[in-house]
Amino acid sequence: AAELEYESVLCVKPDVNVYRIPPRTSNRGYRASDWKLDHPDWTGRLRVTSKGKTAYIKLEDKVSGELFAQAPIDQYPGIAVETVADSSRYFVIRIQDGTGRSAFIGIGFTDRGDAFDFNVSLQDHFKWVKQETEISKESQEADTRPKLDLGFKEGQTIKLNIGNMTSKKGGAAKPRVSGSGGLSLLPPPPGGKIAVPPIPPPSSTAIANHVTPPPVQKSSNASSADILLDLDAPAAASKAPVSSTTDLWGDFSTASSAVPNQAPQQSNWVQF
């Protein structure tokens, strides 16, 4: 797996100063003011690379690219890279050679932005390393857990009960609303109103069964009592009820006065 890993470049800074630093005599940290900042011991190019989970700080010649020193980093922040107490542009790194020897040197950047980029590149790399470690750990734990067998066994069935659905045979019949006239209406939709059916017009049979009294023809014979009674009865009934004490002979005089166009005829009866 190590042979398949490739090296990627995280950050490149063209100007970096290297200083020989005195040994630390206390645990108060390194201070850049103790170095000879105006006279760096070496000047060149800095390149930060990564191969797998390990990052490398490489100090190279600006022209030829020859490697001057290299500092492998397995953890950040850690002993391999430390910041100084009095400045954000200077760091202390631990360089190593192929024989296992190591030494601590100081590096510094003229531009504060270059120091910021150098710090962020290391932080991003080891943040990615932490995430990869957590993911691989979770996958290993998942492999060790017993797997659930969710498949159906032989002969096993499942029954679903969906809502309040009923079969066609056993389903209840929908209620029907009976309207006027014996009509069967469907129930109204939600929020709707029941329309009252209109009253049917009278049929022609009922009109034919209605009895209309025949017209009464007027007769020129005013002396006939029956004809006079028939003519005067409807008019008297429409105006006022006839009193029970009225004389029967008074109908003749009323009937004769109701027909003014006819000439009065003599009658043997005496008018009272």
PDB file of all heavy atoms in Angstrom, residues 206-218:
ATOM      1  N   ALA A 206    -104.737  16.532 -15.839  1.00  0.00           N
ATOM      2  CA  ALA A 206    -105.391  17.291 -14.774  1.00  0.00           C
ATOM      3  C   ALA A 206    -106.145  18.488 -15.323  1.00  0.00           C
ATOM      4  O   ALA A 206    -107.183  18.871 -14.822  1.00  0.00           O
ATOM      5  CB  ALA A 206    -104.365  17.741 -13.752  1.00  0.00           C
ATOM      6  N   ILE A 207    -105.556  19.104 -16.415  1.00  0.00           N
ATOM      7  CA  ILE A 207    -106.266  20.242 -17.020  1.00  0.00           C
ATOM      8  C   ILE A 207    -107.566  19.783 -17.663  1.00  0.00           C
ATOM      9  O   ILE A 207    -108.610  20.448 -17.591  1.00  0.00           O
ATOM     10  CB  ILE A 207    -105.356  20.921 -18.037  1.00  0.00           C
ATOM     11  CG1 ILE A 207    -104.125  21.499 -17.297  1.00  0.00           C
ATOM     12  CG2 ILE A 207    -106.079  22.018 -18.791  1.00  0.00           C
ATOM     13  CD1 ILE A 207    -103.108  22.094 -18.224  1.00  0.00           C
ATOM     14  N   ALA A 208    -107.485  18.578 -18.273  1.00  0.00           N
ATOM     15  CA  ALA A 208    -108.702  18.078 -18.943  1.00  0.00           C
ATOM     16  C   ALA A 208    -109.780  17.697 -17.943  1.00  0.00           C
ATOM     17  O   ALA A 208    -110.978  17.799 -18.233  1.00  0.00           O
ATOM     18  CB  ALA A 208    -108.359  16.867 -19.816  1.00  0.00           C
ATOM     19  N   ASN A 209    -109.361  17.225 -16.740  1.00  0.00           N
ATOM     20  CA  ASN A 209    -110.363  16.825 -15.730  1.00  0.00           C
ATOM     21  C   ASN A 209    -111.005  18.017 -15.038  1.00  0.00           C
ATOM     22  O   ASN A 209    -111.971  17.850 -14.304  1.00  0.00           O
ATOM     23  CB  ASN A 209    -109.713  15.917 -14.697  1.00  0.00           C
ATOM     24  CG  ASN A 209    -109.298  14.596 -15.309  1.00  0.00           C
ATOM     25  OD1 ASN A 209    -109.887  14.154 -16.300  1.00  0.00           O
ATOM     26  ND2 ASN A 209    -108.288  13.958 -14.714  1.00  0.00           N
ATOM     27  N   HIS A 210    -110.437  19.220 -15.179  1.00  0.00           N
ATOM     28  CA  HIS A 210    -111.021  20.399 -14.545  1.00  0.00           C
ATOM     29  C   HIS A 210    -112.326  20.762 -15.241  1.00  0.00           C
ATOM     30  O   HIS A 210    -112.350  20.931 -16.473  1.00  0.00           O
ATOM     31  CB  HIS A 210    -110.042  21.568 -14.596  1.00  0.00           C
ATOM     32  CG  HIS A 210    -110.575  22.820 -13.955  1.00  0.00           C
ATOM     33  ND1 HIS A 210    -110.724  22.931 -12.573  1.00  0.00           N
ATOM     34  CD2 HIS A 210    -110.983  23.989 -14.504  1.00  0.00           C
ATOM     35  CE1 HIS A 210    -111.208  24.133 -12.314  1.00  0.00           C
ATOM     36  NE2 HIS A 210    -111.372  24.789 -13.473  1.00  0.00           N
ATOM     37  N   VAL A 211    -113.395  20.845 -14.478  1.00  0.00           N
ATOM     38  CA  VAL A 211    -114.748  21.092 -15.044  1.00  0.00           C
ATOM     39  C   VAL A 211    -114.994  22.587 -15.081  1.00  0.00           C
ATOM     40  O   VAL A 211    -114.895  23.256 -14.068  1.00  0.00           O
ATOM     41  CB  VAL A 211    -115.823  20.385 -14.213  1.00  0.00           C
ATOM     42  CG1 VAL A 211    -117.198  20.651 -14.796  1.00  0.00           C
ATOM     43  CG2 VAL A 211    -115.545  18.889 -14.156  1.00  0.00           C
ATOM     44  N   THR A 212    -115.279  23.074 -16.264  1.00  0.00           N
ATOM     45  CA  THR A 212    -115.624  24.488 -16.443  1.00  0.00           C
ATOM     46  C   THR A 212    -117.120  24.596 -16.660  1.00  0.00           C
ATOM     47  O   THR A 212    -117.669  23.921 -17.545  1.00  0.00           O
ATOM     48  CB  THR A 212    -114.883  25.072 -17.640  1.00  0.00           C
ATOM     49  OG1 THR A 212    -113.471  24.861 -17.433  1.00  0.00           O
ATOM     50  CG2 THR A 212    -115.156  26.563 -17.791  1.00  0.00           C
ATOM     51  N   PRO A 213    -117.801  25.390 -15.860  1.00  0.00           N
ATOM     52  CA  PRO A 213    -119.267  25.493 -16.048  1.00  0.00           C
ATOM     53  C   PRO A 213    -119.603  26.093 -17.404  1.00  0.00           C
ATOM     54  O   PRO A 213    -118.900  26.977 -17.888  1.00  0.00           O
ATOM     55  CB  PRO A 213    -119.713  26.383 -14.890  1.00  0.00           C
ATOM     56  CG  PRO A 213    -118.491  27.159 -14.525  1.00  0.00           C
ATOM     57  CD  PRO A 213    -117.356  26.258 -14.792  1.00  0.00           C
ATOM     58  N   PRO A 214    -120.602  25.558 -18.050  1.00  0.00           N
ATOM     59  CA  PRO A 214    -121.005  26.088 -19.381  1.00  0.00           C
ATOM     60  C   PRO A 214    -121.544  27.494 -19.272  1.00  0.00           C
ATOM     61  O   PRO A 214    -122.067  27.900 -18.232  1.00  0.00           O
ATOM     62  CB  PRO A 214    -122.081  25.094 -19.837  1.00  0.00           C
ATOM     63  CG  PRO A 214    -122.656  24.553 -18.565  1.00  0.00           C
ATOM     64  CD  PRO A 214    -121.521  24.485 -17.600  1.00  0.00           C
ATOM     65  N   PRO A 215    -121.322  28.271 -20.292  1.00  0.00           N
ATOM     66  CA  PRO A 215    -121.840  29.659 -20.262  1.00  0.00           C
ATOM     67  C   PRO A 215    -123.368  29.686 -20.249  1.00  0.00           C
ATOM     68  O   PRO A 215    -124.031  28.838 -20.858  1.00  0.00           O
ATOM     69  CB  PRO A 215    -121.261  30.275 -21.527  1.00  0.00           C
ATOM     70  CG  PRO A 215    -121.027  29.124 -22.425  1.00  0.00           C
ATOM     71  CD  PRO A 215    -120.657  27.962 -21.558  1.00  0.00           C
ATOM     72  N   VAL A 216    -123.888  30.621 -19.520  1.00  0.00           N
ATOM     73  CA  VAL A 216    -125.352  30.782 -19.387  1.00  0.00           C
ATOM     74  C   VAL A 216    -125.843  31.759 -20.427  1.00  0.00           C
ATOM     75  O   VAL A 216    -125.306  32.865 -20.541  1.00  0.00           O
ATOM     76  CB  VAL A 216    -125.710  31.260 -17.974  1.00  0.00           C
ATOM     77  CG1 VAL A 216    -127.211  31.424 -17.822  1.00  0.00           C
ATOM     78  CG2 VAL A 216    -125.164  30.269 -16.938  1.00  0.00           C
ATOM     79  N   GLN A 217    -126.751  31.366 -21.224  1.00  0.00           N
ATOM     80  CA  GLN A 217    -127.311  32.243 -22.245  1.00  0.00           C
ATOM     81  C   GLN A 217    -128.475  33.040 -21.677  1.00  0.00           C
ATOM     82  O   GLN A 217    -129.285  32.521 -20.896  1.00  0.00           O
ATOM     83  CB  GLN A 217    -127.839  31.406 -23.428  1.00  0.00           C
ATOM     84  CG  GLN A 217    -126.712  30.628 -24.134  1.00  0.00           C
ATOM     85  CD  GLN A 217    -127.279  29.836 -25.305  1.00  0.00           C
ATOM     86  OE1 GLN A 217    -128.499  29.854 -25.534  1.00  0.00           O
ATOM     87  NE2 GLN A 217    -126.401  29.165 -26.012  1.00  0.00           N
ATOM     88  N   LYS A 218    -128.462  34.291 -21.991  1.00  0.00           N
ATOM     89  CA  LYS A 218    -129.534  35.186 -21.543  1.00  0.00           C
ATOM     90  C   LYS A 218    -130.805  34.940 -22.351  1.00  0.00           C
ATOM     91  O   LYS A 218    -130.740  34.681 -23.549  1.00  0.00           O
ATOM     92  CB  LYS A 218    -129.095  36.638 -21.679  1.00  0.00           C
ATOM     93  CG  LYS A 218    -127.924  36.994 -20.754  1.00  0.00           C
ATOM     94  CD  LYS A 218    -127.566  38.458 -20.903  1.00  0.00           C
ATOM     95  CE  LYS A 218    -126.406  38.813 -19.994  1.00  0.00           C
ATOM     96  NZ  LYS A 218    -126.042  40.251 -20.107  1.00  0.00           N
TER      97      LYS A 218
END
